[in-house]
Amino acid sequence: MKGGGSSYALPAKRRWRRAIGVLLLVLLSMLLPLAFLLGLHNGFLSAGISFDQQSSIFDVLPGVDESDATSTRKEWENDNSERVQYIIQKMGTDNSKVFFHAVDIDKKMNDPLTNFGNETENKIVDVVPEEISHQTPGSHAPPDLPKPKTIPAEDNASGDQLDITTETATNAVEESEDSCELKYGSYCIWRREHREEMKDTMVKKLKDLLFVARAYYPSVAKLPGQDNLSHELKQNIQEFEHIFSEAITDADLPNQIEHKVQKMEDAIAKAKAVVADCNNVDKKLQQLVDLTEDEARFHMKQSAYLYQIGVQTMPKSFHCLFMRLTVEYFQSTNDIELPLDEKFMNPSLQHYVLFSKNVLAASVVINSTVMHAKESGNQVFHIFTDRQNYFAMKFWFYQANYQEAAVEVLNIEEIELPDKATLQLYLPEEYRVSVHGLNNSRPTQIKTEYISVFSHSHYFLPDIFHYLKKIVVLDDDVVVQQDLSALWSLDMEGKVNGAVQRCSLRLGQLRRYMGEKYFDEKSCLWMSGLNVIDLVRWREQDITGTYNNLMREPLSANVSSETLPLRSSYLSFQNQLYPLDDKWALSGLGHDYGVNAESVENAAVLHYNGNMKPWLDLGIPSYRSYWKMYLDSENQFLSQCNVNS
């Protein structure tokens, strides 16, 4: 029996051992995925904390011997030196500064921020002449790439090879600003001008304390026996969040804020003294850094979006003025529809043409031109507008006084031309052009300028004014500072269009958008704004027919429907441009903060091309005074609608 008993005991032990092995395998199969989920296999994350924060992580272990802690810290720092260098490169020497870098420039033509409002009166379209894969070094590079990386770019317009090399943090910031300007347009120029330094030190201190408390709270809340400390941290965090919901500056902070700060500092000190899992603190810090970075990027995009709305929509005061003028037109008992003045068809007088939907802008153009004219009785102004703005324009110029000059307001939609469909009003086309600087010590620097060309409506002028020989076309975003009568005696040497050239830009820099047609790549670009038009030569050269043929041509791969008017305008006037002296017109006052003050004073015509028009609150303040001086501040309609108040 004993022998039989021993024979049954051995298989029982084996089954027990097998059961233990199965349990161990089950436990391991559960612990391994849990370790991966908690990030234990990866140690500390590769980015997101600074040296100060690293020190605080080791300080939470008071029970560890000092020498052991020092050796552990050195070992950790040696293993993660490359990661730390990456963190410093990403966040800079100041932890509060985060550098944001723009995305691939080739995608900006489809960016809703830069193309917002393209269907409105003035189209703002990015035109980049060369494809540039512009990655900012150090912005998203992995931590194991400590050396600077050189990225060759494609040839620029002048044929030079571009190299983008990481040298210093300063260069990275400058390249980031260039990319920002490319992506968001003149918003970045406006943002740099209105950037304010952080002056509220107490608010900044509160934000730092809240940041640290949020990092420690999840770890403390999971520890047993720390309910009181967890509750204290949570209460302080909620109290700080309530403060920030009502205060953004030191002046808005409540009384006894020093006491609240002391309570938060005491709670954080207690949390640091508790033995906590460093990985959890590190993860929370990384999450907070990512959230802060995403929030900053979101606010930048949101502000750029709101900026585009501000520059592309009608201000409330302008809408009020438009409505009041329209109502007054229909309530007026006077006969506004006066007989046709014989001056309007007299070819011996000086005829000026404007296309506008803005009654104040058109009024400033005419008022400034008349005020500087030697003989205003020789001046005739023809304003083309659409049906919606026609009655407001009609009443404004009926009740306004422009000395002896004659003003005619025309609804372009009611003009009938033989073999022509119903005409529509198109304002001058405006484009934002980003090109490489030809003569620049920094080959990576990209220059952004605004150019404006004729719209589709301009090419009907020879047919509309078939009884005239010469006209001067003015945009509604210009201000005249000198007498323009000398333009009527100008010998244009048989050319059609007299305009100021922009030789800082060449057609060769826009060759991608010129299609297969031949053109002189060294030819300077010309600008609308102030143009002397020889209608006789226009008809002889059939400029309108050339333009229509170019517009009907099938689009090539490089020419989009948005840039087609740009291409057609420049090719239509090829070899038909007479360059005016640069002193006749000065452009850039709608986007360039650095225009020379002496040049502004001496220019005959100021052109506010760009987003920041002078009638907008976003207009450049130093240039707005030249425009506002030609407004009648005592006009009852302006005062009732708080225009430029």
Side-chain angles (χ1 to χ4, degrees):
M1 294 295 292
K2 292 180 181 179
S6 61
S7 63
Y8 283 103
L10 184 60
K13 291 181 180 179
R14 290 178 180 176
R15 285 196 298 271
W16 179 73
R17 291 175 182 174
R18 289 176 183 175
I20 293 177
V22 172
L23 289 176
L24 290 175
L25 289 176
V26 172
L27 289 175
L28 288 175
S29 64
M30 295 174 62
L31 290 176
L32 284 176
L34 184 61
F36 275 93
L37 289 175
L38 294 177
L40 298 178
H41 72 292
N42 201 22
F44 286 89
L45 295 179
S46 61
I49 54 178
S50 65
F51 282 123
D52 295 337
Q53 293 164 341
Q54 294 166 17
S55 301
S56 65
I57 291 174
F58 288 101
D59 291 340
V60 301
L61 303 174
V64 182
D65 184 70
E66 183 177 357
S67 60
D68 295 339
T70 303
S71 61
T72 304
R73 182 183 306 174
K74 290 182 179 179
E75 182 181 355
W76 186 90
E77 291 177 354
N78 292 333
D79 293 340
N80 296 275
S81 59
E82 293 184 357
R83 298 176 180 176
V84 172
Q85 293 298 326
Y86 169 70
I87 297 169
I88 296 175
Q89 183 179 5
K90 181 179 179 182
M91 300 190 67
T93 56
D94 185 357
N95 295 336
S96 63
K97 295 181 180 179
V98 182
F99 300 141
F100 300 102
H101 304 288
V103 294
D104 190 359
I105 297 177
D106 291 335
K107 299 179 181 180
K108 66 184 160 300
M109 288 292 293
N110 298 322
D111 195 329
L113 294 177
T114 55
N115 292 335
F116 179 81
N118 287 344
E119 298 180 358
T120 58
E121 295 85 359
N122 293 319
K123 277 196 285 189
I124 307 296
V125 182
D126 280 340
V127 180
V128 180
E130 297 296 332
E131 294 180 356
I132 307 171
S133 181
H134 195 148
Q135 297 178 0
T136 305
S139 58
H140 299 286
D144 55 349
L145 296 177
K147 296 182 179 180
K149 185 177 180 181
T150 301
I151 305 176
E154 295 190 12
D155 295 344
N156 60 6
S158 60
D160 299 332
Q161 185 72 15
L162 300 182
D163 290 329
I164 304 174
T165 308
T166 305
E167 295 180 356
T168 61
T170 304
N171 291 340
V173 176
E174 292 176 355
E175 292 177 5
S176 176
E177 293 291 349
D178 292 340
S179 302
C180 174
E181 184 174 333
L182 284 170
K183 186 175 181 182
Y184 299 110
S186 58
Y187 157 72
C188 291
I189 305 176
W190 179 87
R191 181 172 61 91
R192 287 197 294 266
E193 177 70 15
H194 293 79
R195 181 179 294 167
E196 296 182 359
E197 296 182 359
M198 183 66 181
K199 300 179 181 179
D200 301 299
T201 56
M202 181 58 71
V203 170
K204 185 177 184 299
K205 183 177 181 180
L206 294 177
K207 289 182 179 180
D208 293 340
L209 291 174
L210 181 61
F211 187 94
V212 176
R214 284 174 172 172
Y216 277 97
Y217 173 73
S219 299
V220 174
K222 296 178 181 179
L223 297 176
Q226 299 295 336
D227 294 340
N228 293 334
L229 178 58
S230 175
H231 177 72
E232 183 179 356
L233 275 175
K234 182 178 180 181
Q235 186 177 6
N236 282 280
I237 290 174
Q238 291 177 347
E239 190 172 358
F240 271 46
E241 290 175 345
H242 178 70
I243 291 175
F244 284 124
S245 66
E246 299 179 351
I248 57 176
T249 63
D250 285 356
D252 301 330
L253 294 175
N255 298 329
Q256 299 180 348
I257 188 63
E258 293 81 4
H259 177 66
K260 300 180 185 298
V261 171
Q262 186 62 41
K263 287 177 55 180
M264 176 65 86
E265 290 177 345
D266 294 341
I268 293 176
K270 295 177 184 178
K272 288 183 177 181
V274 175
V275 179
D277 189 352
C278 297
N279 282 326
N280 292 337
V281 178
D282 173 68
K283 289 176 184 178
K284 190 59 180 178
L285 286 171
Q286 175 64 35
Q287 292 176 2
L288 293 173
V289 169
D290 293 341
L291 288 174
T292 305
E293 188 173 325
D294 293 341
E295 183 179 4
R297 187 178 293 109
F298 165 77
H299 285 300
M300 183 175 180
K301 290 184 177 181
Q302 185 185 52
S303 58
Y305 177 78
L306 296 176
Y307 170 86
Q308 291 292 342
I309 293 179
V311 300
Q312 297 291 342
T313 56
M314 178 187 295
K316 181 180 179 180
S317 58
F318 279 48
H319 182 72
C320 167
L321 179 64
F322 162 77
M323 296 299 295
R324 284 186 176 274
L325 292 175
T326 304
V327 171
E328 288 293 333
Y329 175 88
F330 289 104
Q331 291 182 349
S332 176
T333 57
N334 298 326
D335 186 10
I336 297 179
E337 299 295 334
L338 299 176
L340 187 64
D341 195 329
E342 61 179 9
K343 288 185 176 182
F344 297 155
M345 304 183 66
N346 188 348
S348 62
L349 300 180
Q350 302 173 5
H351 293 262
Y352 298 87
V353 177
L354 291 85
F355 294 89
S356 180
K357 297 180 180 179
N358 189 331
V359 61
L360 283 186
S363 177
V364 168
V365 175
I366 297 176
N367 195 26
S368 62
T369 306
V370 171
M371 289 180 62
H372 294 95
K374 295 180 180 178
E375 296 182 7
S376 60
N378 294 332
Q379 294 180 328
V380 181
F381 295 89
H382 307 271
I383 305 174
F384 289 95
T385 187
D386 56 2
R387 182 180 292 108
Q388 181 180 0
N389 297 276
Y390 173 73
F391 301 106
M393 286 263 195
K394 192 78 173 178
F395 184 80
W396 176 270
F397 289 103
Y398 168 77
Q399 55 91 29
N401 180 22
Y402 298 101
Q403 299 183 18
E404 299 179 2
V407 181
E408 179 185 23
V409 180
L410 298 170
N411 180 4
I412 196 172
E413 298 176 13
E414 294 181 354
I415 297 177
E416 296 182 0
L417 296 177
D419 301 329
K420 302 290 183 181
T422 302
L423 302 184
Q424 300 293 328
L425 179 66
Y426 297 95
L427 299 184
E429 305 284 356
E430 194 165 276
Y431 296 88
R432 185 166 64 91
V433 181
S434 300
V435 297
H436 291 279
L438 294 178
N439 300 319
N440 202 302
S441 58
R442 288 186 61 211
T444 59
Q445 185 170 356
I446 295 179
K447 173 179 55 178
T448 300
E449 295 190 21
Y450 285 77
I451 57 176
S452 56
V453 296
F454 286 166
S455 69
H456 191 65
S457 299
H458 287 74
Y459 292 90
F460 293 108
L461 292 177
D463 296 329
I464 296 175
F465 298 108
H466 56 86
Y467 46 84
L468 298 180
K469 298 180 180 180
K470 178 184 280 189
I471 58 174
V472 172
V473 181
L474 299 172
D475 288 356
D476 65 352
D477 57 352
V478 304
V479 171
V480 179
Q481 298 189 123
Q482 297 178 15
D483 181 32
L484 301 182
S485 58
L487 295 175
W488 299 95
S489 59
L490 186 66
D491 182 11
M492 297 177 57
E493 302 175 357
K495 303 298 183 180
V496 176
N497 184 3
V500 175
Q501 293 183 321
R502 296 291 298 275
C503 290
S504 59
L505 295 174
R506 306 279 181 172
L507 278 180
Q509 294 174 279
L510 305 180
R511 59 179 176 269
R512 288 185 56 196
Y513 304 97
M514 294 294 106
E516 304 297 331
K517 294 288 185 179
Y518 169 79
F519 61 93
D520 183 8
E521 294 189 358
K522 297 182 179 180
S523 178
C524 300
L525 301 185
W526 59 272
M527 296 276 293
S528 69
L530 173 66
N531 299 88
V532 184
I533 303 298
D534 187 340
L535 294 177
V536 177
R537 289 288 298 168
W538 184 307
R539 300 185 189 100
E540 292 176 356
Q541 297 296 326
D542 193 19
I543 301 297
T544 302
T546 303
Y547 174 81
N548 291 332
N549 292 334
L550 290 170
M551 291 291 291
R552 286 193 292 263
E553 283 186 357
L555 298 179
S556 60
N558 294 331
V559 181
S560 65
S561 59
E562 294 176 337
T563 59
L564 186 58
L566 177 72
R567 165 184 178 268
S568 302
S569 291
Y570 282 134
L571 294 181
S572 297
F573 288 101
Q574 191 172 201
N575 301 323
Q576 297 298 329
L577 185 70
Y578 177 81
L580 297 178
D581 190 275
D582 292 343
K583 293 183 179 180
W584 275 111
L586 178 66
S587 59
L589 276 70
H591 69 92
D592 188 0
Y593 283 87
V595 179
N596 184 271
E598 184 178 356
S599 301
V600 175
E601 295 288 345
N602 297 331
V605 175
L606 303 179
H607 190 193
Y608 292 82
N609 60 312
N611 275 341
M612 293 176 272
K613 301 299 183 184
W615 52 82
L616 299 176
D617 293 335
L618 296 174
I620 301 177
S622 57
Y623 307 145
R624 291 182 66 190
S625 59
Y626 296 97
W627 186 86
K628 293 181 65 175
M629 69 172 61
Y630 298 105
L631 282 179
D632 184 9
S633 58
E634 298 180 357
N635 187 285
Q636 60 173 341
F637 297 106
L638 298 185
S639 60
Q640 290 173 359
C641 293
N642 297 321
V643 176
N644 290 315
S645 57

